[in-house]
Amino acid sequence: MRRAIVDIKKLTPEILSLLVARYPDGYDDDHIISFKNQHNDTIEAVEVKTEDTIYLVKVSSRLASAMAEFEDNAEDNYDSDVALPSSGTEPS
């Protein structure tokens, strides 16, 4: 399985969708994975998986905001897709 470290700047809608689905109430300290990169810097990330890739998304204050905004936009788009009756009467 391929592994990829993703920064907030390179977060795709697909990965963001996976994050929101995996952590619908947000992530907390128990979800954060800490590791050292090749430069010996400590990285903190949360994990999401697809069929062929494990994504480690770097944790930042902007990540939590991006997840919340994505979820809000998804809910708004879902609500606007609901068909309303075209006449002024209620369907029977």
Side-chain angles (χ1 to χ4, degrees):
M1 203 172 235
R2 186 173 85 102
R3 293 176 184 253
I5 299 170
V6 182
D7 189 74
I8 184 73
K9 296 173 193 166
K10 296 183 181 180
L11 204 56
T12 65
E14 176 192 11
I15 298 170
L16 196 50
S17 177
L18 291 170
L19 280 168
V20 170
R22 171 109 191 242
Y23 307 106
D25 297 323
Y27 57 87
D28 59 30
D29 291 342
D30 295 338
H31 300 124
I32 296 174
I33 300 167
S34 295
F35 59 94
K36 300 257 186 203
N37 66 8
Q38 71 270 19
H39 303 292
N40 207 28
D41 298 325
T42 300
I43 305 294
E44 292 183 333
V46 290
E47 180 183 89
V48 289
K49 296 179 184 179
T50 63
E51 292 179 14
D52 62 346
T53 306
I54 297 173
Y55 293 100
L56 296 172
V57 182
K58 291 181 183 179
V59 172
S60 70
S61 58
R62 289 181 45 205
L63 177 60
S65 298
M67 287 175 63
E69 183 177 323
F70 182 85
E71 188 171 32
D72 289 345
N73 288 339
E75 288 172 3
D76 289 346
N77 289 339
Y78 176 77
D79 291 342
S80 65
D81 291 340
V82 175
L84 299 175
S86 57
S87 66
T89 61
E90 290 290 320
S92 51

